[in-house]
Amino acid sequence: MQIDLELYREEVEVEPGVTLSLVDVAPEQPAQTLVLVHGFGGNATQWQYQVQAFAERNRVLAPDLRGHGRSSAPRNGYDMPRLLADLRAVLDSAEVDGPVVLAGHSFGGAIVTDFALQYPEMVSRLILIAAAREYRLFSLYRLAFHLPDPVIGTLQPVVRRFVPVSALSLKRMFWESLRAWQGDEKFPRLQMPTMVIRGERDRVFPEAAFAEVSERVPGEDDVNVGASAHMVMIERRDAVNRAIERFMDEEGAALTYSRWRSERARPGRNRLLMERPWLAHYESGVPHTLDIPRLPLTRFLDRAVRRFPHRPAVRFKGKTLTYRRLNREVGRMANALRSLGIEKGARVMILLPNNPQLVIAYYGVLRLGAVVVMGNPLAEPGEVVRQARESGAKVLVTLPRMQEVAVAMRAQSDVRQVIYARTRDYLPFYKKVLSFRRRPEDLLRRPPGDHELAWRTLLRGRDDEAPKVEVAPEDVAAIQYTGGTTARPQGVVLSHRNLVANVVQVRSWLPDARDGEEVVLCVVPFSHVYGMTVGLNLTVAMGASMVLLPRFGTKEVLEHVKKYRPSFFPGVPSMFMAINNFPGVRKYDVQSIRACLSGAAPLPIEVEEAFEKLTKGRLVEGYGLTEAGPVTHANPIYGREKIGSIGLPLPNTEAKIVDLRTGIPLEVPAGQFGELIVRGPQVMVGYWQDEEGTRDVLDADGWLRTGDVARMDEEGYFQIISRRQDMWQADEATPAFPRDVEEVIYELPEVREVVVVGIANRPVAFVQLKEGADVAAKSIMAYAKRRLPAGQAPRLVIFVKEFPRSFIGKVLRRELVSQYAQEIAAGAGSVGDHLPGLDGE
């Protein structure tokens, strides 16, 4: 995965009013620290290939010197003592523990040489790249530095076209340090192992100045990489990286670049593999661990705007918003919310389907440091009102058709302002004209009140630059309610760090994804945590185009596939099943889809195989839960997939199987099942205003109880067996699970779908028959008794026409049991009743 250095930038104040910009990237357990110092006209980004190669196993720091890159450019302080003090301040601020491997390019070689002589205890190894024994610029450059400061200042726009440096800073560094530096006397005094890397065509300084460095360094390792000029670490990056790797690896301390996946014994690698056996089965290009950027979620949008300003960000019903336009709309929304009294920490509920206003409102809220409360527009009104009341939301953003819910919310919660977003707000002009009278969702049921505002009216005339608000990674970003399949939905508190971490983790799982080039089909609701992370946040982080669909309709989805040719499609099994079975599906040219991640429910193998044959792409099953932001596991996209499993934990994610009764971790061997617990940076802060509920599932060490019964095999692949709440005891020693019973009942050809729930320690089977099928409940029970142990055969079979489902497609077992409570209590359905009698017809 390509590392974007801008996500890992920090500022270090080295003296009052002077800050240095520092790129700092590290894995979970770094082998050692590599510090990269650029030269006279360089900056930290010149080390991008070295950071990419070595940050997977080592901590890598690359500062911008004063006057260079994104650092301050003070009028003085460019002498060598000040430059050394700057470097020392950077290391102290970064809390570097132990000696570092120090590398310098060009005049950076002089800086690191002096640093190694002044602080030998802080440098374990020294690397000099295209370094010289003296830095005598050619006469034309020297002449330029004789010009007066005002003249030099006027040349700044020209200078910036070639080097990322302040022209005045270059002049001062030249006169105060570069022109006088001599290495003849310094190189021989170096005590640590030193390597010199150079090319054959370096003409920036006199050629002899490079060639003679290796002669003066005692016991040096001289590497000539061949035909390369001054920027050797860029022009011959593979050769340079191999040399650095070998040099660092001589002590067996580092594990980097091309050889780290080899089977050679390495202490750090073996320790990590013993703790996490799944790492051995990561596909090529997926890092074992990641450095989670320490920044708010909105920085992904900033990054996309900076890198891809004219790239389509949102495509919706023929309308396109570029990243620049999207960012401006977000700024307007942030200022509009500020005018309504929304400040940092305030909650704003968004009750919308997938449309441009949801994206704009989401980032507008986050720009203010406020908290997004994602509501499900398809949920029961009473539940949505409860969530608004419980979360303390002050503002609601919704559709006009939700006016009655909005009125109830204002009466029963702290919501005081309602913003109505009409579908036509972001339609092409011709569609606005044609759709004015045809969109009931855009029509209010009654005249608006004083506190009911129209989206377009509210944003009109607002400044498109968002207010500057300091947002820390630990600040709350969202309150996301659980799906409520087995219990009442709970508010999960997710910080910016939680969401950033899960985006980076999922992004790393897509090793062939290309930033700025992907097109993502976004039909999974953003109001669900799966859609929010894998659809909305991940798309923006990649600078991809999101094709928005408010709801899933197979034909409409296929038409969008044909028109926009998406490459990535996060979805749920029912979506992929519908596409597989759609008549004439091949005429929609679905082969643009390269990768699909399936979540929310088990993925049947037949569905997976048919979809992959249809698209020639990859469809893999993953796993997650709202409390983990949500993704914790997934099968490799192009690596080894195990059918029926949820795959491997993502980078930086730990997972264990613990005893269902004691909570003690079980041993690794396959076949042992228990409760799955997970730990990682994506795991929630806790439940909203529910400390007791948080303690029940989240321990002091950060381990989250998932409530899912699972098992792990010897290779680290996990398989979900059941929800813990759904299991029962077949006898005193044997737990039983719905899946065991469901698989047997699915063998009957008349059965379309079956859901088994353990009630009063006995299973009850809810069965939906195929159209035209007719089978008695007693026949199903008799068949199950012949195929299952006594404690697993259902005591009751209830026929249903439709299963109650969440808007993501999961069966709501809690509602199922509630809906048929009378039949369960009376034992109905166990003596051959058919569908009409059980449905009250």
Side-chain angles (χ1 to χ4, degrees), residues 396-535:
L396 169 68
V397 185
T398 191
L399 296 174
R401 67 175 174 84
M402 304 290 291
Q403 187 179 26
E404 295 303 322
V405 176
V407 169
M409 214 175 275
R410 288 199 63 239
Q412 302 176 41
S413 74
D414 292 337
V415 170
R416 290 295 172 262
Q417 304 283 350
V418 180
I419 304 170
Y420 291 117
R422 299 182 300 175
T423 300
R424 67 188 303 270
D425 288 339
Y426 290 95
L427 290 181
F429 177 76
Y430 73 93
K431 285 193 175 182
K432 286 183 181 180
V433 174
L434 295 175
S435 66
F436 182 75
R437 296 187 179 278
R438 292 192 300 160
R439 293 189 177 276
E441 68 267 26
D442 283 349
L443 300 177
L444 291 172
R445 301 301 186 261
R446 60 184 182 181
D450 293 338
H451 300 283
E452 294 178 304
L453 310 168
W455 174 282
R456 274 301 182 194
T457 303
L458 183 63
L459 267 62
R460 186 178 298 124
R462 301 286 179 184
D463 188 352
D464 60 13
E465 184 173 344
K468 302 298 183 184
V469 179
E470 290 295 325
V471 181
E474 295 74 24
D475 289 340
V476 177
I479 298 174
Q480 182 72 48
Y481 279 83
T482 57
T485 55
T486 58
R488 192 178 76 166
Q490 293 175 280
V492 172
V493 178
L494 297 170
S495 68
H496 283 265
R497 174 173 168 76
N498 294 149
L499 297 176
V500 167
N502 211 213
V503 168
V504 174
Q505 290 168 316
V506 177
R507 173 65 182 87
S508 75
W509 211 248
L510 305 170
D512 71 333
R514 301 153 299 188
D515 285 359
E517 298 183 28
E518 306 297 338
V519 178
V520 182
L521 185 62
C522 297
V523 65
V524 174
F526 291 161
S527 51
H528 187 276
V529 68
Y530 173 42
M532 182 176 72
T533 292
V534 183

Side-chain angles (χ1 to χ4, degrees), residues 3 27 51-58 255 260-261 286-289:
I3 295 176
V51 176
Q52 181 72 33
F54 293 96
E56 193 167 326
R57 290 293 175 180
N58 305 281
L255 182 57
W260 68 266
R261 291 187 186 274
V286 177
H288 281 188
T289 65

